[in-house]
Amino acid sequence: MQKAGRLELTWVGKYEDKAIEPRILLEDVSKSYGDPSSENMLIHGDNLIALQALQQDFAGRVKCIYIDPPYNTGNAFEYYDDGVEHSIWLNLMRQRLVLLRELLSEEGSIWIQIDDEEQAYLKVLCDEIFGRVNFVNMISVNMKNIAGASGGGEDKRIKKNCEYILIYAKDYYRLDMFKGAYDYEEIGALVERYREEGISWKYSSALVNPGEKIYIGSTVDGTGDEIKIFKRVGFEIKSVNQLMQEDGISERDAYNKYAKYFFVSQMPQSSIRPRVMDKVNEIGRDSELYSIEYVPKTGRNKGKLYEQFYKGKNFRLFAWLRDVSEEIDGSLYKKTLQGTYWNYVSGTKNLTKEGNIEFPNGKKPESLVSRVFDMASDEGDIVLDSFLGSGTSAAVAHKMNRTWIGIEMGDHAYSHCKARLDRVIDGEDSGGITKDYSWKGGGGYHFYELAPSLLVKNDKLPIYQINSSYTFEMLCEAICKIEGFRYKPQDMFHGHSSEKRFIHITTEFINAGYIKSLSARLAEGQSLLIYGTKIQSDMVLPDNIEVKKIPKDLLEKCDFESEV
């Protein structure tokens, strides 16, 4: 008899889940900073509880999550208990990933940076939580050189220089297309490097004058749309050496001055080129240069009228340097589309003090995080990091004009994250991606503390009672959050879950008369949940009213023993 089952990763305590208390967030106005209208949030406290606290307002709204959790190697920075037993680490990650998934928008993605100690286990765990079909990629990130002083001593194992970023979608089929990730190298320096390394540099000719275009006929693309064909008369093509001599300029200056004219001719595998060749040969070829105009169905020029050039009897296609380069601060840079290997060795130089914050052995370059946010989000989107560390992700998101949520535990939420972000807002952070995004300062954030647990054990009796630090307003907001109501005091009601479902909370004695007075305020079709500390027994309740006892019925909803 065949047994049914499923592929999964198991460990001690995997299914010993507790319902986490959804704490309320208390703004510390003395620590909030900058523009009070900002929607950015810096939260101090345990990220598991904080993620639960965010569910009501942010479930399905976060476009991109980047986290750099403790790697469980026993070598992490002092602020985390990182060397925990393997099963505990997996359980901690599972609980948080489940909540993070709920916060993602349907078009969103999560990027998790990890090393090879836990990468394989984390991959299987994420397959379970997000679904294997929603796995997007794994990026290998070169974080350090292994040669020289930084490489360490000899060992049986191959020296580590790579970390990994696992990428998962909330829903792969609804995931927005990632923008391309590019590496940049100044053209002049690149040409010199190619020459030194014996690599052939192809972009050495420039179409400085495209000449007169004369229409000679048309053909069609695969869907029957017109492709207009022109012959070019009086065109001029010059080599980079000619341009240098004629203008009396250096090679680097020639590339900067004539950047948009440089090209390399190619023999592409395309359905367009043979159609053009056949039509020109049919008409009669009497020029060395032809151009076409059509609207591509795919690629970077999709949907736009586009011009292409073909040269010689084999109709070699012009590929333009301008399509693979970008002008930055007056200089031309070759941009190379990156795949699943990213080299960030140079980005880790002087990283220790980036953001004017020292955070050894755990900090990531702003340039790395900005690449993630640039690929997977747009200005105004909500991004989140629940392992904020030294505040890098929030600082990057702020400079990139994203709305951000950062969660961090311990005193370094104040000494590292807050201090760094305040400098960003004041325009005093000149490092990282500041220059790339022309950041001058501005914006703000709200600083939140997690409220203590709503219910606490009595010092002498085996019972729970309302935390004495809670005001009545805090009590009402906490119960609303636990029951899934939106806290919004109005008239006799403290919140609502819909237009017809309301909640009322009281520490007064609830009897039949009390119920009757509340019932009179309900319209037809509306219902009410009442929470109270003192309730008359044996009451006959209307069908649209439910009464619950504090703390008894709250204890059945969630666990009140989690530590902040």
Side-chain angles (χ1 to χ4, degrees), residues 314-462:
N314 292 322
F315 276 68
R316 296 179 67 89
L317 173 68
F318 282 19
W320 300 100
L321 178 59
R322 62 177 177 254
D323 288 338
V324 293
S325 61
E326 186 174 325
E327 185 176 319
I328 303 174
D329 295 334
S331 296
L332 190 67
Y333 286 77
K334 175 76 162 52
K335 58 180 186 180
T336 305
L337 183 65
Q338 300 300 290
T340 56
Y341 173 76
W342 297 354
N343 190 339
Y344 269 88
V345 172
S346 61
T348 60
K349 293 179 180 178
N350 302 316
L351 178 61
T352 303
K353 294 186 178 180
E354 190 174 82
N356 296 319
I357 292 292
E358 293 194 23
F359 203 73
N361 303 323
K363 188 189 287 185
K364 297 299 180 287
E366 287 194 11
S367 56
L368 171 60
V369 180
S370 68
R371 173 176 282 187
V372 172
F373 287 163
D374 182 62
M375 291 178 67
S377 68
D378 296 307
E379 288 194 7
D381 284 341
I382 300 174
V383 299
L384 180 147
D385 185 349
S386 55
F387 295 88
L388 193 55
S390 66
T392 299
S393 296
V396 167
H398 201 95
K399 296 175 187 178
M400 295 178 70
N401 198 26
R402 270 59 169 172
T403 300
W404 55 265
I405 302 172
I407 306 170
E408 196 40 70
M409 57 191 280
D411 290 340
H412 64 293
Y414 315 121
S415 61
H416 290 66
C417 301
K418 175 172 171 53
R420 181 174 187 172
L421 290 163
D422 291 355
R423 281 192 288 270
V424 170
I425 291 168
D426 290 339
E428 296 176 355
D429 181 356
S430 59
I433 63 167
T434 299
K435 185 178 179 181
D436 297 336
Y437 286 87
S438 302
W439 179 253
K440 305 296 184 183
Y445 64 87
H446 296 273
F447 191 100
Y448 295 92
E449 300 281 358
L450 286 170
S453 185
L454 171 60
L455 301 180
V456 293
K457 286 182 178 178
N458 186 283
D459 291 337
K460 298 177 181 178
L461 301 173

Side-chain angles (χ1 to χ4, degrees), residues 22 24 454 470 473-483:
I24 60 175
L454 171 60
Y470 268 64
E473 289 74 19
M474 290 170 63
L475 171 70
C476 293
E477 183 179 357
I479 293 178
C480 282
K481 180 163 277 197
I482 290 169
E483 282 285 355

Side-chain angles (χ1 to χ4, degrees), residues 85-297:
E85 193 270 330
H86 191 234
S87 289
I88 298 175
W89 186 87
L90 287 168
N91 216 41
L92 292 174
M93 289 305 301
R94 178 177 180 272
Q95 291 175 312
R96 286 153 179 79
L97 289 170
V98 167
L99 293 173
L100 287 167
R101 182 186 180 279
E102 293 303 311
L103 292 171
L104 274 179
S105 67
E106 295 301 314
E107 304 81 17
S109 58
I110 183 170
W111 303 58
I112 311 168
Q113 189 150 351
I114 198 73
D115 79 348
D116 60 359
E117 293 287 337
E118 295 290 354
Q119 179 275 130
Y121 296 97
L122 184 62
K123 170 68 169 66
V124 178
L125 178 59
C126 287
D127 283 347
E128 283 187 37
I129 294 169
F130 294 94
R132 191 169 180 179
V133 68
N134 293 313
F135 172 68
V136 181
N137 279 115
M138 183 176 76
I139 308 292
S140 298
V141 187
N142 186 357
M143 296 295 291
K144 63 181 180 181
N145 287 317
I146 58 172
S150 64
E154 296 298 322
D155 195 273
K156 292 182 179 179
R157 295 183 177 183
I158 299 171
K159 295 303 175 187
K160 295 183 182 182
N161 60 337
C162 280
E163 294 179 7
Y164 307 92
I165 300 177
L166 294 173
I167 310 172
Y168 280 82
K170 175 72 170 288
D171 182 343
Y172 184 84
Y173 298 101
R174 298 179 65 178
L175 176 69
D176 285 342
M177 184 74 72
F178 293 147
K179 294 185 280 292
Y182 295 91
D183 272 354
Y184 293 84
E185 188 170 1
E186 197 267 333
I187 291 292
L190 178 63
V191 173
E192 291 175 5
R193 180 171 66 81
Y194 272 28
R195 187 178 294 117
E196 291 172 359
E197 296 176 2
I199 302 173
S200 175
W201 173 251
K202 304 294 185 182
Y203 296 95
S204 58
S205 298
L207 180 64
V208 293
N209 180 2
E212 179 188 359
K213 68 177 184 180
I214 301 173
Y215 175 73
I216 61 171
S218 295
T219 184
V220 294
D221 63 15
T223 60
D225 290 335
E226 182 183 20
I227 301 173
K228 292 183 178 180
I229 306 174
F230 304 86
K231 71 176 180 179
R232 314 299 296 213
V233 178
F235 63 90
E236 289 183 89
I237 296 176
K238 295 183 179 181
S239 70
V240 65
N241 289 330
Q242 285 178 289
L243 295 172
M244 291 164 59
Q245 292 174 3
E246 290 176 4
D247 291 9
I249 56 178
S250 67
E251 185 178 57
R252 181 173 299 189
D253 288 340
Y255 276 108
N256 286 333
K257 182 176 180 179
Y258 295 97
K260 63 182 179 181
Y261 305 116
F262 280 99
F263 67 89
V264 61
S265 60
Q266 300 176 336
M267 298 281 281
Q269 297 296 320
S270 119
S271 61
I272 298 293
R273 180 170 156 272
R275 293 170 184 267
V276 175
M277 285 182 65
D278 290 344
K279 187 64 179 180
V280 170
N281 289 331
E282 177 188 320
I283 295 169
R285 188 171 68 86
D286 59 355
S287 176
E288 278 296 301
L289 188 66
Y290 288 86
S291 66
I292 65 171
E293 291 179 0
Y294 77 113
V295 179
K297 301 294 189 302

Side-chain angles (χ1 to χ4, degrees), residues 1-41:
M1 176 178 173
Q2 187 174 4
K3 294 183 179 180
R6 67 169 187 160
L7 184 64
E8 65 175 317
L9 183 66
T10 62
W11 62 85
V12 176
K14 177 177 181 179
Y15 297 108
E16 295 176 4
D17 288 341
K18 294 180 179 179
I20 303 163
E21 177 189 3
R23 307 275 182 90
I24 60 175
L25 296 172
L26 304 176
E27 182 175 2
D28 185 341
V29 179
S30 69
K31 292 186 177 65
S32 296
Y33 200 78
D35 184 358
S37 67
S38 170
E39 297 180 8
N40 300 322
M41 303 173 67

